[in-house]
Amino acid sequence: MINNQFLVFVKKEFAHVLRDRKTLLVLFGLPVMQILIFGFALTNEVKNASIVVLDQAKDHQSQRLIGRIGASRYFDIEGAVDDEEAIEQNLRSGKVKMALVIPSGFSYDLAHRNKAGLRIIADASDPNTANTLSNYLSSIIMDEQAELNANVPVPYTIIPEMRMLYNPQLKGVHNFVPGVMALVLMLVCVMMTAISIVREKETGTMEILLVSPFKPLLVILSKAVPYLLLSLVNVGTILLLSVFVLDLPVNGSILLLLAESTMFIITCLSIGLFISVKAQSQQTAMLISLMGMMLPTILFSGFMFPIENMPKPLQAITNIVPSRWYYIIVKSIMIKGLGFQAIWKETAILAGMAVFLTLVSLKNFKIRLE
Amino acid sequence: METVIKTHELTKRYGDFIAANAISLEVYKGEIFGFLGANGAGKTTAMRMLCGLSTPSSGSAEIAGYDIYRQTEQVKKNIGYMSQKFSLYEDLTVMENIRFFGGIYGLGSKDIRLKGQALIKQLGLESEEKKLVGSLPLGWKQKLAFSVAILHSPKIVFLDEPTGGVDPLTRRQFWDLIYEAADRGITIFVTTHYMDEAEYCGRLSIMVDGNVKALDTPSALKEQYHATSMDDVFYELARGAKRSE
């Protein structure tokens, strides 16, 4: 019986969302728009980037590799240099984006130890380009390695060592996809939940629900379910766009990423619930969601502005912004390819926030009903 | 006669303010009970306590034989409620609203279909069945809201100023629905401003400043206050009111 009531309610919530064209547009159009705008504004594909090579090996193996790089459409070999100082000069001039150093023992190491190192030095003052270029170069090196390994018993390993000059941590840009994910989920979950509950208060239907035998807890749950599902659709859209349109792969486990996103969505839903308990009108709910959630997400999650550079009091504030933690989680999984051990602390913080907010709102919600 | 609402000194205080003061009354099965009072007299407060939307500060009440403190679930199953604000979902169709409210009261889908069709036929809404409720005129919405409120055949239905803002003809049609429901044994507990509606009630009470000042049939009240209409009775009682909006 309860199940049936619950389904009837969830169905009704879906009808509300799907019938409201404007909401739908915001719900599904926004993530696509943001990803595309950010994507093409920030990561324009880099073609024919100038690269210099310091070939200390000067043998067949190294020539092969250089040839392969020169043949790719991403790189133009500007020339060979003789020492590290020349590399530095070239990079500083700004004409050259990247340098490759092939150490003298390259072929020897490959032949005798089955692994050899390479050094890649990039100008990271434009961190996005640097990142893209080092990804390109690494994949060219991996291709070379695969070809070498085609007919040898013990596989060779080439280990490129990256060095980002001028901006070693790639601060400021990172990859914006985690930021957009946090932003979109925050917007959809917090605002939509808050508004949909407050709307029932405004129109008087909430009273009818409270007079009915339908449990208040179920009212909240059935509001949460549609937005949870719709938000997961959004996560999926963003990931698909980022992988297929922007060529930004998910390096870690996708399942883990989805699980963590669900956790963040639940946190957002609990914030939305909290706002809806306090707000009396849809406008208030929307304003609180926008000012109280969107702005902190943009300012304090580390997405636009690096937290390390903020004054201490602001750094303290960032701790209570849920998207800050989610942003770290997504970055760790998507970009660094880390597992759960690396992010359990952030996950626990999000879970704690969700539990706390839900308990506080439920308590207030009940009082209101009585 | 079976008593379906029984309150004893039911009181609601907000700090020093006594919104409803020691209300004691009995309402019988199948009765149309009018609950009158000026704005701010406390009738909505009293009604909200009876519906379980607000917890009384003191006093006791039984609804359909169930205690409002301890047996809230049973109370909820046995009452219907229609609030001042129009309260169906405007972005759902007529039939969807019926299905939703039937559903949250735990009616089976077959039951909902049968009752829903009967309801639509009774209201003459056959051609509007698939239209969004928001597109219907206010009078029809109110009639629909009332029919939905009694869809689960409650013992009592509480109506909080159900006919606000509609013309006298539509009000009359609305009352026809109320009579029909009362004939089926549903007790009607209705608050109103309109004195012509007061005349339609079997018995009524008049609240002034949180207290029930009078309770009887319309004709007995008119006799008691030597008045020719309910308007005069109401004026006579409400004249001494200290609270008003």
Side-chain angles (χ1 to χ4, degrees):
Chain A
M1 195 68 100
I2 292 291
N3 277 343
N4 189 29
Q5 285 174 306
F6 185 65
L7 280 183
V8 166
F9 206 116
V10 170
K11 217 169 118 189
K12 174 212 121 194
E13 287 304 319
F14 268 113
H16 285 320
V17 181
L18 299 180
R19 258 174 220 172
D20 186 353
R21 293 259 164 83
K22 273 179 252 165
T23 311
L24 263 191
L25 198 69
V26 172
L27 211 56
F28 294 115
L30 191 91
V32 175
M33 231 175 64
Q34 283 197 329
I35 282 287
L36 293 182
I37 289 175
F38 277 101
F40 287 106
L42 292 178
T43 59
N44 30 2
E45 196 188 26
V46 191
K47 274 184 202 157
N48 305 326
S50 301
I51 184 169
V52 289
V53 182
L54 171 54
D55 185 359
Q56 294 167 328
K58 288 203 172 65
D59 55 23
H60 170 67
Q61 208 73 265
S62 71
Q63 288 304 319
R64 237 183 90 143
L65 182 58
I66 293 167
R68 185 181 276 273
I69 293 169
S72 110
R73 65 191 170 103
Y74 298 116
F75 296 102
D76 275 341
I77 299 198
E78 188 72 16
V81 288
D82 300 326
D83 51 28
E84 304 247 352
E85 206 171 305
I87 291 179
E88 186 88 39
Q89 269 169 16
N90 270 301
L91 284 174
R92 196 165 289 160
S93 76
K95 270 181 268 170
V96 168
K97 294 286 173 212
M98 195 167 251
L100 173 69
V101 180
I102 306 175
S104 51
F106 183 69
S107 305
Y108 180 87
D109 283 350
L110 264 190
H112 293 86
R113 297 168 50 204
N114 283 59
K115 62 180 181 196
L118 280 176
R119 283 197 296 133
I120 296 170
I121 303 161
D123 171 5
S125 56
D126 176 358
N128 221 43
T129 311
N131 221 1
T132 315
L133 286 180
S134 26
N135 284 338
Y136 290 159
L137 195 52
S138 309
S139 67
I140 293 172
I141 294 168
M142 289 307 123
D143 283 349
E144 172 73 12
Q145 176 186 307
E147 205 161 291
L148 283 176
N149 285 342
N151 36 24
V152 291
V154 187
Y156 294 127
T157 319
I158 302 176
I159 306 156
E161 178 206 324
M162 301 284 176
R163 210 177 123 211
M164 297 294 179
L165 280 188
Y166 315 123
N167 184 4
Q169 284 162 298
L170 294 180
K171 266 180 213 155
V173 35
H174 318 270
N175 284 298
F176 60 92
V177 171
V180 172
M181 274 170 76
L183 205 60
V184 165
L185 292 182
M186 203 79 194
L187 181 82
V188 170
C189 300
V190 176
M191 199 156 87
M192 299 289 170
T193 325
I195 287 179
S196 89
I197 295 178
V198 174
R199 183 167 51 205
E200 302 242 9
K201 284 207 262 180
E202 244 182 30
T203 55
T205 42
M206 190 55 97
E207 281 194 349
I208 306 290
L209 295 179
L210 298 180
V211 170
S212 83
F214 200 70
K215 299 255 187 310
L217 184 66
L218 278 184
V219 173
I220 290 172
L221 271 183
S222 27
K223 291 258 169 209
V225 167
Y227 290 110
L228 178 68
L229 292 179
L230 294 173
S231 304
L232 282 174
V233 170
N234 269 335
V235 172
T237 316
I238 294 177
L239 289 181
L240 285 177
L241 280 175
S242 106
V243 171
F244 293 107
V245 180
L246 303 174
D247 283 330
L248 187 83
V250 179
N251 290 324
S253 149
I254 289 191
L255 272 183
L256 180 62
L257 186 57
L258 288 180
E260 292 287 345
S261 299
T262 311
M263 183 69 246
F264 180 63
I265 292 169
I266 292 171
T267 313
C268 291
L269 291 174
S270 69
I271 298 172
L273 176 62
F274 183 73
I275 293 175
S276 74
V277 170
K278 299 285 169 201
Q280 288 303 328
S281 73
Q282 292 184 61
Q283 275 94 336
T284 318
M286 195 148 101
L287 266 179
I288 298 178
S289 309
L290 280 175
M291 304 301 281
M293 294 301 136
M294 294 291 288
L295 275 184
T297 296
I298 293 173
L299 296 176
F300 295 136
S301 65
F303 158 42
M304 292 279 191
F305 309 102
I307 292 170
E308 296 87 339
N309 300 353
M310 292 177 188
K312 282 275 180 276
L314 286 187
Q315 288 197 20
I317 291 178
T318 61
N319 287 323
I320 59 164
V321 177
S323 29
R324 176 197 167 165
W325 306 107
Y326 178 63
Y327 180 61
I328 297 177
I329 291 173
V330 180
K331 249 184 8 182
S332 308
I333 301 174
M334 256 189 99
I335 295 163
K336 299 186 191 153
L338 299 175
F340 185 68
Q341 312 88 286
I343 48 168
W344 66 269
K345 222 171 69 191
E346 286 79 8
T347 315
I349 292 172
L350 284 183
M353 286 176 172
V355 169
F356 173 76
L357 286 169
T358 311
L359 288 181
V360 173
S361 337
L362 279 183
K363 193 161 166 278
N364 281 301
F365 195 68
K366 278 228 172 97
I367 288 167
R368 177 170 296 289
L369 313 190
E370 276 176 359
Chain B
M1 236 186 304
E2 193 187 333
T3 308
V4 290
I5 301 177
K6 189 174 180 179
T7 74
H8 180 68
E9 312 223 313
L10 204 59
T11 302
K12 180 79 187 185
R13 281 185 217 91
Y14 296 102
D16 290 337
F17 179 73
I18 301 174
N21 187 18
I23 293 168
S24 301
L25 48 81
E26 287 190 359
V27 179
Y28 309 113
K29 184 173 191 290
E31 191 175 23
I32 299 177
F33 188 88
F35 201 59
L36 276 65
N39 281 336
K43 51 188 193 316
T44 299
T45 308
M47 184 181 252
R48 288 174 69 86
M49 286 193 282
L50 297 180
C51 295
L53 283 170
S54 162
T55 314
S57 309
S58 63
S60 63
E62 275 183 15
I63 306 289
Y66 299 107
D67 185 88
I68 58 162
Y69 295 101
R70 285 176 293 111
Q71 295 167 299
T72 46
E73 281 313 298
Q74 292 303 321
V75 170
K76 283 178 168 186
K77 277 187 190 140
N78 284 290
I79 62 171
Y81 175 67
M82 180 180 164
S83 79
Q84 242 162 328
K85 288 182 190 167
F86 170 69
S87 43
L88 295 176
Y89 293 99
E90 305 234 330
D91 56 345
L92 298 186
T93 67
V94 172
M95 199 56 205
E96 283 169 337
N97 267 291
I98 293 171
R99 269 200 292 265
F100 173 71
F101 285 105
I104 63 167
Y105 273 96
L107 300 185
S109 53
K110 197 178 152 203
D111 206 10
I112 292 175
R113 201 170 55 240
L114 289 175
K115 285 186 169 172
Q117 259 145 20
L119 184 164
I120 284 170
K121 206 170 155 221
Q122 188 192 13
L123 296 180
L125 283 173
E126 287 95 340
S127 52
E128 268 75 23
E129 193 181 318
K130 292 200 172 72
K131 280 196 186 150
L132 297 187
V133 166
S135 67
L136 300 180
L138 182 62
W140 278 15
K141 286 185 198 169
Q142 282 169 330
K143 281 186 268 183
L144 183 61
F146 174 73
S147 306
V148 167
I150 58 168
L151 191 70
H152 59 291
S153 315
K155 290 217 171 87
I156 308 150
V157 63
F158 292 91
L159 309 174
D160 192 2
E161 291 176 14
T163 54
V166 295
D167 59 88
L169 180 68
T170 314
R171 267 191 3 235
R172 180 68 241 189
Q173 291 170 343
F174 190 86
W175 275 85
D176 287 340
L177 284 179
I178 292 182
Y179 279 121
E180 256 171 75
D183 285 344
R184 276 159 49 199
I186 297 176
T187 307
I188 315 283
F189 188 98
V190 55
T191 71
T192 181
H193 279 318
Y194 299 110
M195 287 308 135
D196 57 331
E197 291 190 345
E199 307 266 5
Y200 302 151
C201 299
R203 287 190 310 146
L204 51 87
S205 69
I206 297 178
M207 263 184 109
V208 179
D209 289 351
N211 297 290
V212 173
K213 280 278 183 203
L215 196 171
D216 216 324
T217 61
S219 50
L221 284 174
K222 278 186 276 192
E223 205 170 306
Q224 190 185 340
Y225 289 89
H226 310 291
T228 49
S229 69
M230 279 312 298
D231 246 343
D232 297 337
V233 175
F234 188 76
Y235 182 70
E236 185 68 25
L237 281 163
R239 202 162 52 171
K242 294 180 185 67
R243 303 194 322 229
S244 63
E245 267 184 344

mmCIF file of all heavy atoms in Angstrom, chain B residues 157-186:
data_model
loop_
_atom_site.group_PDB
_atom_site.id
_atom_site.type_symbol
_atom_site.label_atom_id
_atom_site.label_comp_id
_atom_site.label_asym_id
_atom_site.label_seq_id
_atom_site.Cartn_x
_atom_site.Cartn_y
_atom_site.Cartn_z
ATOM 1 N N VAL B 157 -15.927 15.828 6.520
ATOM 2 C CA VAL B 157 -15.103 16.659 5.654
ATOM 3 C C VAL B 157 -15.084 18.081 6.222
ATOM 4 O O VAL B 157 -16.113 18.617 6.619
ATOM 5 C CB VAL B 157 -15.558 16.608 4.182
ATOM 6 C CG1 VAL B 157 -16.961 17.148 3.995
ATOM 7 C CG2 VAL B 157 -14.585 17.364 3.289
ATOM 8 N N PHE B 158 -13.860 18.619 6.318
ATOM 9 C CA PHE B 158 -13.694 19.979 6.822
ATOM 10 C C PHE B 158 -13.529 20.923 5.650
ATOM 11 O O PHE B 158 -12.649 20.722 4.807
ATOM 12 C CB PHE B 158 -12.457 20.071 7.722
ATOM 13 C CG PHE B 158 -12.594 19.315 9.007
ATOM 14 C CD1 PHE B 158 -12.194 17.991 9.094
ATOM 15 C CD2 PHE B 158 -13.134 19.935 10.134
ATOM 16 C CE1 PHE B 158 -12.324 17.294 10.278
ATOM 17 C CE2 PHE B 158 -13.260 19.240 11.322
ATOM 18 C CZ PHE B 158 -12.853 17.909 11.398
ATOM 19 N N LEU B 159 -14.345 21.953 5.601
ATOM 20 C CA LEU B 159 -14.257 22.908 4.497
ATOM 21 C C LEU B 159 -13.934 24.279 5.083
ATOM 22 O O LEU B 159 -14.697 24.810 5.888
ATOM 23 C CB LEU B 159 -15.586 22.975 3.741
ATOM 24 C CG LEU B 159 -16.185 21.640 3.291
ATOM 25 C CD1 LEU B 159 -17.562 21.852 2.688
ATOM 26 C CD2 LEU B 159 -15.266 20.959 2.290
ATOM 27 N N ASP B 160 -12.794 24.828 4.695
ATOM 28 C CA ASP B 160 -12.394 26.119 5.234
ATOM 29 C C ASP B 160 -12.684 27.193 4.200
ATOM 30 O O ASP B 160 -11.970 27.334 3.224
ATOM 31 C CB ASP B 160 -10.896 26.087 5.570
ATOM 32 C CG ASP B 160 -10.478 27.279 6.403
ATOM 33 O OD1 ASP B 160 -11.361 28.091 6.751
ATOM 34 O OD2 ASP B 160 -9.282 27.398 6.705
ATOM 35 N N GLU B 161 -13.758 27.929 4.405
ATOM 36 C CA GLU B 161 -14.223 28.959 3.461
ATOM 37 C C GLU B 161 -14.125 28.478 2.029
ATOM 38 O O GLU B 161 -13.386 29.033 1.214
ATOM 39 C CB GLU B 161 -13.423 30.244 3.667
ATOM 40 C CG GLU B 161 -13.762 30.885 4.977
ATOM 41 C CD GLU B 161 -12.935 32.125 5.283
ATOM 42 O OE1 GLU B 161 -12.288 32.637 4.358
ATOM 43 O OE2 GLU B 161 -12.948 32.564 6.436
ATOM 44 N N PRO B 162 -14.888 27.466 1.699
ATOM 45 C CA PRO B 162 -14.715 26.808 0.397
ATOM 46 C C PRO B 162 -15.194 27.644 -0.782
ATOM 47 O O PRO B 162 -14.765 27.415 -1.897
ATOM 48 C CB PRO B 162 -15.553 25.540 0.525
ATOM 49 C CG PRO B 162 -16.601 25.886 1.531
ATOM 50 C CD PRO B 162 -15.956 26.834 2.492
ATOM 51 N N THR B 163 -16.078 28.614 -0.537
ATOM 52 C CA THR B 163 -16.701 29.291 -1.681
ATOM 53 C C THR B 163 -16.221 30.722 -1.851
ATOM 54 O O THR B 163 -16.908 31.537 -2.446
ATOM 55 C CB THR B 163 -18.238 29.300 -1.528
ATOM 56 O OG1 THR B 163 -18.541 29.876 -0.259
ATOM 57 C CG2 THR B 163 -18.788 27.907 -1.614
ATOM 58 N N GLY B 164 -15.030 31.012 -1.317
ATOM 59 C CA GLY B 164 -14.517 32.379 -1.450
ATOM 60 C C GLY B 164 -14.350 32.773 -2.898
ATOM 61 O O GLY B 164 -13.829 32.009 -3.696
ATOM 62 N N GLY B 165 -14.832 33.948 -3.263
ATOM 63 C CA GLY B 165 -14.539 34.499 -4.573
ATOM 64 C C GLY B 165 -15.379 34.001 -5.734
ATOM 65 O O GLY B 165 -15.034 34.270 -6.874
ATOM 66 N N VAL B 166 -16.455 33.250 -5.474
ATOM 67 C CA VAL B 166 -17.282 32.854 -6.624
ATOM 68 C C VAL B 166 -18.677 33.469 -6.516
ATOM 69 O O VAL B 166 -19.127 33.875 -5.439
ATOM 70 C CB VAL B 166 -17.393 31.318 -6.762
ATOM 71 C CG1 VAL B 166 -16.040 30.719 -7.065
ATOM 72 C CG2 VAL B 166 -18.009 30.695 -5.531
ATOM 73 N N ASP B 167 -19.380 33.491 -7.640
ATOM 74 C CA ASP B 167 -20.674 34.162 -7.690
ATOM 75 C C ASP B 167 -21.744 33.342 -6.974
ATOM 76 O O ASP B 167 -21.576 32.143 -6.743
ATOM 77 C CB ASP B 167 -21.048 34.394 -9.154
ATOM 78 C CG ASP B 167 -21.105 33.091 -9.899
ATOM 79 O OD1 ASP B 167 -22.181 32.452 -9.916
ATOM 80 O OD2 ASP B 167 -20.047 32.673 -10.436
ATOM 81 N N PRO B 168 -22.861 33.983 -6.619
ATOM 82 C CA PRO B 168 -23.908 33.307 -5.833
ATOM 83 C C PRO B 168 -24.450 32.041 -6.495
ATOM 84 O O PRO B 168 -24.710 31.052 -5.817
ATOM 85 C CB PRO B 168 -25.009 34.362 -5.735
ATOM 86 C CG PRO B 168 -24.308 35.655 -5.920
ATOM 87 C CD PRO B 168 -23.151 35.396 -6.826
ATOM 88 N N LEU B 169 -24.570 32.058 -7.816
ATOM 89 C CA LEU B 169 -25.110 30.888 -8.502
ATOM 90 C C LEU B 169 -24.195 29.682 -8.318
ATOM 91 O O LEU B 169 -24.632 28.580 -7.981
ATOM 92 C CB LEU B 169 -25.290 31.193 -9.997
ATOM 93 C CG LEU B 169 -25.856 30.020 -10.809
ATOM 94 C CD1 LEU B 169 -27.300 29.742 -10.399
ATOM 95 C CD2 LEU B 169 -25.757 30.287 -12.301
ATOM 96 N N THR B 170 -22.879 29.908 -8.518
ATOM 97 C CA THR B 170 -21.918 28.823 -8.351
ATOM 98 C C THR B 170 -21.894 28.358 -6.906
ATOM 99 O O THR B 170 -21.757 27.172 -6.624
ATOM 100 C CB THR B 170 -20.514 29.292 -8.774
ATOM 101 O OG1 THR B 170 -20.617 29.983 -10.000
ATOM 102 C CG2 THR B 170 -19.567 28.125 -8.927
ATOM 103 N N ARG B 171 -22.062 29.314 -5.988
ATOM 104 C CA ARG B 171 -22.105 28.942 -4.566
ATOM 105 C C ARG B 171 -23.271 28.020 -4.296
ATOM 106 O O ARG B 171 -23.162 27.041 -3.576
ATOM 107 C CB ARG B 171 -22.219 30.202 -3.711
ATOM 108 C CG ARG B 171 -20.865 30.656 -3.316
ATOM 109 C CD ARG B 171 -20.752 31.733 -2.278
ATOM 110 N NE ARG B 171 -21.906 32.253 -1.637
ATOM 111 C CZ ARG B 171 -22.199 33.564 -1.629
ATOM 112 N NH1 ARG B 171 -21.443 34.407 -2.283
ATOM 113 N NH2 ARG B 171 -23.251 33.983 -0.977
ATOM 114 N N ARG B 172 -24.399 28.351 -4.906
ATOM 115 C CA ARG B 172 -25.606 27.534 -4.737
ATOM 116 C C ARG B 172 -25.337 26.107 -5.251
ATOM 117 O O ARG B 172 -25.679 25.125 -4.599
ATOM 118 C CB ARG B 172 -26.739 28.211 -5.526
ATOM 119 C CG ARG B 172 -28.088 27.544 -5.498
ATOM 120 C CD ARG B 172 -28.699 27.622 -4.128
ATOM 121 N NE ARG B 172 -28.902 26.278 -3.612
ATOM 122 C CZ ARG B 172 -29.577 25.976 -2.504
ATOM 123 N NH1 ARG B 172 -30.093 26.944 -1.760
ATOM 124 N NH2 ARG B 172 -29.718 24.738 -2.120
ATOM 125 N N GLN B 173 -24.699 26.023 -6.419
ATOM 126 C CA GLN B 173 -24.394 24.687 -6.989
ATOM 127 C C GLN B 173 -23.438 23.923 -6.086
ATOM 128 O O GLN B 173 -23.564 22.718 -5.897
ATOM 129 C CB GLN B 173 -23.759 24.829 -8.379
ATOM 130 C CG GLN B 173 -24.718 25.326 -9.424
ATOM 131 C CD GLN B 173 -23.991 25.685 -10.712
ATOM 132 O OE1 GLN B 173 -22.770 25.847 -10.726
ATOM 133 N NE2 GLN B 173 -24.743 25.809 -11.795
ATOM 134 N N PHE B 174 -22.493 24.675 -5.504
ATOM 135 C CA PHE B 174 -21.547 24.061 -4.585
ATOM 136 C C PHE B 174 -22.295 23.466 -3.396
ATOM 137 O O PHE B 174 -22.016 22.354 -2.953
ATOM 138 C CB PHE B 174 -20.534 25.111 -4.114
ATOM 139 C CG PHE B 174 -19.377 24.547 -3.361
ATOM 140 C CD1 PHE B 174 -18.256 24.082 -4.030
ATOM 141 C CD2 PHE B 174 -19.408 24.455 -1.974
ATOM 142 C CE1 PHE B 174 -17.191 23.556 -3.336
ATOM 143 C CE2 PHE B 174 -18.341 23.924 -1.279
ATOM 144 C CZ PHE B 174 -17.232 23.472 -1.965
ATOM 145 N N TRP B 175 -23.272 24.217 -2.899
ATOM 146 C CA TRP B 175 -24.031 23.711 -1.752
ATOM 147 C C TRP B 175 -24.880 22.499 -2.121
ATOM 148 O O TRP B 175 -25.144 21.649 -1.266
ATOM 149 C CB TRP B 175 -24.872 24.834 -1.127
ATOM 150 C CG TRP B 175 -24.012 25.597 -0.158
ATOM 151 C CD1 TRP B 175 -23.163 26.617 -0.445
ATOM 152 C CD2 TRP B 175 -23.862 25.321 1.233
ATOM 153 N NE1 TRP B 175 -22.486 27.008 0.680
ATOM 154 C CE2 TRP B 175 -22.897 26.232 1.737
ATOM 155 C CE3 TRP B 175 -24.438 24.407 2.117
ATOM 156 C CZ2 TRP B 175 -22.499 26.243 3.073
ATOM 157 C CZ3 TRP B 175 -24.058 24.435 3.447
ATOM 158 C CH2 TRP B 175 -23.096 25.335 3.910
ATOM 159 N N ASP B 176 -25.310 22.426 -3.360
ATOM 160 C CA ASP B 176 -26.019 21.210 -3.776
ATOM 161 C C ASP B 176 -25.130 19.985 -3.583
ATOM 162 O O ASP B 176 -25.584 18.937 -3.114
ATOM 163 C CB ASP B 176 -26.427 21.306 -5.254
ATOM 164 C CG ASP B 176 -27.585 22.282 -5.450
ATOM 165 O OD1 ASP B 176 -28.279 22.562 -4.430
ATOM 166 O OD2 ASP B 176 -27.783 22.766 -6.581
ATOM 167 N N LEU B 177 -23.833 20.153 -3.922
ATOM 168 C CA LEU B 177 -22.877 19.048 -3.729
ATOM 169 C C LEU B 177 -22.758 18.719 -2.245
ATOM 170 O O LEU B 177 -22.688 17.548 -1.849
ATOM 171 C CB LEU B 177 -21.502 19.431 -4.260
ATOM 172 C CG LEU B 177 -21.275 19.435 -5.768
ATOM 173 C CD1 LEU B 177 -19.848 19.872 -6.068
ATOM 174 C CD2 LEU B 177 -21.508 18.033 -6.327
ATOM 175 N N ILE B 178 -22.720 19.757 -1.426
ATOM 176 C CA ILE B 178 -22.590 19.548 0.020
ATOM 177 C C ILE B 178 -23.795 18.762 0.549
ATOM 178 O O ILE B 178 -23.649 17.804 1.302
ATOM 179 C CB ILE B 178 -22.446 20.904 0.742
ATOM 180 C CG1 ILE B 178 -21.095 21.543 0.377
ATOM 181 C CG2 ILE B 178 -22.566 20.718 2.256
ATOM 182 C CD1 ILE B 178 -20.828 22.858 1.070
ATOM 183 N N TYR B 179 -25.006 19.160 0.104
ATOM 184 C CA TYR B 179 -26.208 18.438 0.556
ATOM 185 C C TYR B 179 -26.143 16.974 0.146
ATOM 186 O O TYR B 179 -26.476 16.084 0.918
ATOM 187 C CB TYR B 179 -27.476 19.078 -0.031
ATOM 188 C CG TYR B 179 -27.928 20.301 0.731
ATOM 189 C CD1 TYR B 179 -28.033 21.540 0.120
ATOM 190 C CD2 TYR B 179 -28.268 20.193 2.094
ATOM 191 C CE1 TYR B 179 -28.438 22.656 0.817
ATOM 192 C CE2 TYR B 179 -28.680 21.316 2.802
ATOM 193 C CZ TYR B 179 -28.761 22.541 2.161
ATOM 194 O OH TYR B 179 -29.164 23.639 2.864
ATOM 195 N N GLU B 180 -25.734 16.753 -1.089
ATOM 196 C CA GLU B 180 -25.656 15.372 -1.571
ATOM 197 C C GLU B 180 -24.731 14.528 -0.700
ATOM 198 O O GLU B 180 -25.047 13.403 -0.346
ATOM 199 C CB GLU B 180 -25.126 15.356 -3.007
ATOM 200 C CG GLU B 180 -26.197 15.114 -4.047
ATOM 201 C CD GLU B 180 -25.630 15.338 -5.438
ATOM 202 O OE1 GLU B 180 -24.885 14.451 -5.895
ATOM 203 O OE2 GLU B 180 -25.911 16.400 -6.034
ATOM 204 N N ALA B 181 -23.558 15.139 -0.360
ATOM 205 C CA ALA B 181 -22.597 14.425 0.469
ATOM 206 C C ALA B 181 -23.186 14.148 1.845
ATOM 207 O O ALA B 181 -23.039 13.057 2.399
ATOM 208 C CB ALA B 181 -21.312 15.233 0.587
ATOM 209 N N ALA B 182 -23.895 15.143 2.403
ATOM 210 C CA ALA B 182 -24.498 14.981 3.729
ATOM 211 C C ALA B 182 -25.548 13.874 3.695
ATOM 212 O O ALA B 182 -25.664 13.080 4.628
ATOM 213 C CB ALA B 182 -25.105 16.294 4.194
ATOM 214 N N ASP B 183 -26.299 13.798 2.579
ATOM 215 C CA ASP B 183 -27.298 12.744 2.438
ATOM 216 C C ASP B 183 -26.665 11.368 2.458
ATOM 217 O O ASP B 183 -27.267 10.385 2.882
ATOM 218 C CB ASP B 183 -28.075 12.914 1.119
ATOM 219 C CG ASP B 183 -29.078 14.060 1.213
ATOM 220 O OD1 ASP B 183 -29.358 14.479 2.356
ATOM 221 O OD2 ASP B 183 -29.544 14.539 0.157
ATOM 222 N N ARG B 184 -25.402 11.297 1.962
ATOM 223 C CA ARG B 184 -24.706 10.012 1.969
ATOM 224 C C ARG B 184 -24.099 9.714 3.333
ATOM 225 O O ARG B 184 -23.376 8.728 3.490
ATOM 226 C CB ARG B 184 -23.600 10.028 0.905
ATOM 227 C CG ARG B 184 -24.117 9.687 -0.486
ATOM 228 C CD ARG B 184 -23.187 10.179 -1.575
ATOM 229 N NE ARG B 184 -21.789 9.797 -1.328
ATOM 230 C CZ ARG B 184 -20.757 10.394 -1.908
ATOM 231 N NH1 ARG B 184 -20.961 11.400 -2.742
ATOM 232 N NH2 ARG B 184 -19.540 10.003 -1.650
ATOM 233 N N GLY B 185 -24.356 10.587 4.306
ATOM 234 C CA GLY B 185 -23.891 10.307 5.663
ATOM 235 C C GLY B 185 -22.569 10.951 6.008
ATOM 236 O O GLY B 185 -22.012 10.717 7.080
ATOM 237 N N ILE B 186 -22.015 11.771 5.081
ATOM 238 C CA ILE B 186 -20.759 12.458 5.380
ATOM 239 C C ILE B 186 -21.076 13.717 6.176
ATOM 240 O O ILE B 186 -21.924 14.518 5.780
ATOM 241 C CB ILE B 186 -20.009 12.832 4.074
ATOM 242 C CG1 ILE B 186 -19.619 11.564 3.318
ATOM 243 C CG2 ILE B 186 -18.775 13.673 4.375
ATOM 244 C CD1 ILE B 186 -18.955 11.817 1.980
#
